[in-house]
Amino acid sequence: MKNLICILVSLTPKFFQMISRFKKRYIFPALALLVFFTGTAFKNDFFEIAKQIEIFTTMFKTLNMNYVDDTNPGELMDKAIKSTLAELDPYTVFFNEQDVVKFKINGTGEYTGIGALISRDNGKLIIREPYKGYAADKAGLKAGDEIIQIGDVNLIDFKEDAAELLKGARNTKVNIIYKRQNQNFNTTLTLDEVEIKAVPYFTLLENKTGYIVLAQFNKKAAKETQMALEKLKEQGAERMILDLRDNPGGFLVEAVKIVNLFVPKNELVVTTKSKSEKHTLTYKTTAEPIDTEIPLAILINESSASASEIVSGALQDLDRAVVIGNRSFGKGLVQRPIDLAYGTQLKVTISRYYTPSGRCIQALDYSKKDKNGKAIKKGADEFQAFKTKKGRVVYDGGGIMPDLEIKEAKTSYVTKTLVKNMAIFNFATEFYYKNPVPANGIPKFTEQDFNGFKQSLKKEMLTYESESEKTLRKALESAKNEKLDEAVIVQYDAMIKFLEDHKKQSVDKNKSEIEREIIAELIKRYQYREGFYEYDAKRSKEIIAALQILNQPAQYNQLLNK
């Protein structure tokens, strides 16, 4: 029946007009029989979808034929699609042909390109991080370099996705011009296959504890995690730390396979529930595990989402691991790409997932929005209690809450904003070129350097607008529209000054975590990402806490009710 709907809603307005003329004589009796056999839900869906499609296609054709100026039907349709999806959740998105290629790259972890993380910042194409040993690194490109020309294409006025110009067939040579420290340079990049590892780092720590960084859930995640686990056990690992911090998730099936490494066959891992029966599924472990006894700690933070929450939530519910860190992101929604016409796709939310105890850890309810159009978050008073396999109490309502919370590792709003606005990145670029590479690759960051960072914020006028400032600005705009007296503006200026002073104080208040972010950025400049993982493994508060728990069997067992 759903195939029938798809056919019907794709018909032209002209056909619907024909239906309209004959519906009384032929269509209604036929539909009456259909309704009798298929139910009310199908009837309602059919008429509403068909009606709205007819209205929209008629309007779209009429608009483009009659509007006073020339229109671009493609751009109008693109905006119409995006506006439609904006009313739902942020994970339901439309992919054009180029986006489909990117999505496949993210899924496989392989593509042909220059081997660098690139971003657009105020219209500039910036190298954020060159990957060790790949084309960008071999050509000498560094973090902070701005690519200003690719081949014959000057990027100043280039509105498309310029990063696509740096992809192509293997061994293709691409000439670029880039800017570094206000000087222009030329180089040639030879495109090559790039493999983005799901497990970029693993090591055996001094006390026979294996440490595995799982950075993403691509199609090789389970295979790479298993390989790291087995190698560490061969090296003598007697306990294990699986680091899921900052892991945004990925393939659900890979998450199930990773849980399967540590729990027996035929164990429930996750359930997806949907209004569609075919998307309501139960996922259990299907293979023999690698080790069901090795003490295990899982690290999460506020950027651990989706598949990361499936792994941490399942292992917590099954009392198989101690979860350490801070409450995870809270993305309990499952998406699936569906092919559309002309090589496009719709990535659509099809279900919610539930951990073995029955928890849905989705934090935001996109069906309920506040007056500003933002999804409503569950309050703590709305959280429901569930029980793990051994009777421990756990809660739903907004991410996985760790068994051991490390509050000092939580990132403040000001630090997140300084990272997002590239204030820390830009400062690290300047610092890198002013300071020689340290012997051990770890930069010394002094009080004077931190003061230099604060000065850079003033110099570059890198500010962020707090929620309070946004509210005040809107209030001022309303006051001006209502032509209220100058006293309002004076009060506004005074409050903005107060908030500006508060922001400066918050930079000092969160000095330690801001320094941590700056040093992390600098280490990647001197030692690549591998160097950062090595540095973090010896100093991270979450890793130190995990080591302490794993080294104390009595405390570990007490946390898990063993």
Side-chain angles (χ1 to χ4, degrees), residues 14-115:
K14 187 174 182 180
F15 184 82
F16 277 107
Q17 290 168 7
M18 180 183 73
I19 289 177
S20 181
R21 288 197 298 268
F22 293 98
K23 63 184 177 181
K24 288 185 179 179
R25 181 178 296 182
Y26 303 110
I27 300 298
F28 283 164
L31 282 175
L33 290 173
L34 271 174
V35 170
F36 179 80
F37 289 109
T38 61
T40 306
F42 171 74
K43 178 194 69 175
N44 291 341
D45 285 348
F46 168 75
F47 277 112
E48 192 59 30
I49 292 172
K51 173 185 172 183
Q52 296 305 324
I53 287 293
E54 182 178 359
I55 291 170
F56 180 80
T57 52
T58 305
M59 179 280 298
F60 192 74
K61 179 180 177 182
T62 303
L63 173 69
N64 284 280
M65 289 179 65
N66 294 282
Y67 189 69
V68 62
D69 295 322
D70 289 338
T71 59
N72 185 320
E75 288 184 4
L76 284 176
M77 182 59 75
D78 187 63
K79 289 178 180 178
I81 292 172
K82 289 176 180 176
S83 295
T84 298
L85 299 181
E87 292 299 311
L88 305 175
D89 63 67
Y91 313 110
T92 297
V93 292
F94 172 74
F95 288 154
N96 58 33
E97 298 95 319
Q98 292 78 21
D99 293 331
V100 171
V101 173
K102 290 182 194 174
F103 184 75
K104 289 179 179 176
I105 287 170
N106 291 334
T108 61
E110 297 176 354
Y111 69 98
T112 302
I114 68 170

Side-chain angles (χ1 to χ4, degrees), residues 26 30 43 74 182 252 286 301 379 438 448 467 517:
Y26 303 110
K43 178 194 69 175
N182 296 317
L252 182 150
T286 59
N301 63 9
Q448 184 178 351
E467 291 300 320
E517 291 290 342

Side-chain angles (χ1 to χ4, degrees), residues 123-406:
K124 298 177 180 179
L125 193 66
I126 305 294
I127 299 288
R128 294 294 298 269
E129 181 185 350
Y131 302 141
K132 186 177 181 179
Y134 287 108
D137 184 38
K138 289 177 180 177
L141 291 178
K142 303 288 184 184
D145 290 346
E146 178 195 352
I147 300 176
I148 57 177
Q149 185 168 322
I150 302 173
D152 296 327
V153 180
N154 190 309
L155 301 187
I156 294 176
D157 298 316
F158 191 75
K159 302 299 181 185
E160 306 298 324
D161 186 357
E164 291 301 307
L165 300 174
L166 296 172
K167 294 176 183 177
R170 188 180 182 187
N171 294 325
T172 299
K173 296 189 181 300
V174 180
N175 298 316
I176 68 166
I177 300 175
Y178 64 96
K179 183 185 289 186
R180 175 187 296 169
Q181 299 290 285
N182 296 317
Q183 294 184 50
N184 290 354
F185 299 90
N186 299 282
T187 192
T188 300
L189 301 168
T190 303
L191 304 187
D192 200 356
E193 291 180 1
V194 178
E195 181 183 4
I196 302 172
K197 288 186 175 294
V199 177
Y201 182 81
F202 65 91
T203 190
L204 183 67
L205 301 178
E206 293 178 2
N207 61 344
K208 294 187 177 181
T209 300
Y211 173 65
I212 302 171
V213 176
L214 179 56
Q216 59 179 293
F217 287 83
N218 61 27
K219 290 184 177 179
K220 295 183 178 180
K223 183 179 179 181
E224 290 183 19
T225 303
Q226 180 175 342
M227 181 196 70
L229 175 62
E230 290 175 337
K231 284 190 176 181
L232 289 169
K233 281 171 64 67
E234 288 172 7
Q235 293 171 21
E238 296 176 357
R239 50 193 76 85
M240 198 66 57
I241 299 172
L242 181 62
D243 194 343
L244 298 177
R245 290 175 298 169
D246 299 315
N247 185 324
F251 288 103
L252 182 150
V253 173
E254 293 298 302
V256 176
K257 289 178 181 178
I258 288 168
V259 172
N260 198 170
L261 298 175
F262 302 101
V263 302
K265 187 177 180 179
N266 205 36
E267 192 77 66
L268 176 64
V269 176
V270 62
T271 302
T272 62
K273 296 181 182 180
S274 170
K275 69 177 183 182
S276 171
E277 231 177 89
K278 70 177 182 179
H279 297 318
T280 298
L281 303 167
T282 297
Y283 294 84
K284 294 184 177 182
T285 52
T286 59
E288 294 301 327
I290 300 299
D291 195 327
T292 61
E293 297 297 329
I294 191 168
L296 177 64
I298 307 292
L299 306 186
I300 60 171
N301 63 9
E302 56 266 41
S303 296
S304 304
S306 190
S308 293
E309 295 172 301
I310 292 175
V311 171
S312 54
L315 291 172
Q316 185 181 55
D317 281 0
L318 298 172
D319 299 297
R320 179 61 187 89
V322 171
V323 179
I324 298 171
N326 285 288
R327 184 182 284 278
S328 61
F329 183 80
K331 180 183 178 291
L333 302 176
V334 183
Q335 287 74 44
R336 175 170 293 180
I338 298 175
D339 292 334
L340 304 176
Y342 300 102
T344 61
Q345 280 185 346
L346 175 68
K347 182 163 75 77
V348 58
T349 298
I350 57 171
S351 57
R352 292 181 176 86
Y353 69 71
Y354 295 77
T355 65
S357 67
R359 290 183 289 168
C360 178
I361 49 81
Q362 175 63 24
L364 296 172
D365 186 347
Y366 293 102
S367 67
K368 299 175 183 176
K369 297 183 180 179
D370 61 21
K371 60 182 180 181
N372 297 316
K374 291 185 177 180
I376 295 173
K377 193 170 187 176
K378 265 189 177 182
D381 58 330
E382 299 177 87
F383 292 175
Q384 297 181 65
F386 294 80
K387 288 189 176 181
T388 68
K389 199 170 185 179
K390 292 188 176 178
R392 293 188 299 143
V393 177
V394 288
Y395 295 90
D396 68 356
I400 300 299
M401 188 66 189
D403 302 307
L404 181 64
E405 189 176 12
I406 311 296

Side-chain angles (χ1 to χ4, degrees), residues 478-535:
S478 298
K480 286 180 178 179
N481 291 335
E482 294 169 13
K483 298 182 179 179
L484 298 181
D485 59 36
E486 290 295 317
V488 174
I489 297 176
V490 173
Q491 292 293 327
Y492 170 83
D493 290 339
M495 292 184 75
I496 287 294
K497 175 67 167 59
F498 172 80
L499 290 172
E500 286 290 341
D501 291 340
H502 177 72
K503 283 195 291 186
K504 293 174 185 175
Q505 293 170 12
S506 63
V507 171
D508 286 321
K509 181 181 177 181
N510 295 285
K511 177 185 174 184
S512 60
E513 67 179 55
I514 292 172
E515 283 185 339
R516 189 169 69 236
E517 291 290 342
I518 293 173
I519 292 171
E521 187 62 53
L522 288 171
I523 290 173
K524 285 185 278 187
R525 309 295 177 101
Y526 294 118
Q527 296 190 63
Y528 301 92
R529 183 166 288 270
E530 292 84 352
F532 164 71
Y533 288 131
E534 185 176 346
Y535 172 86

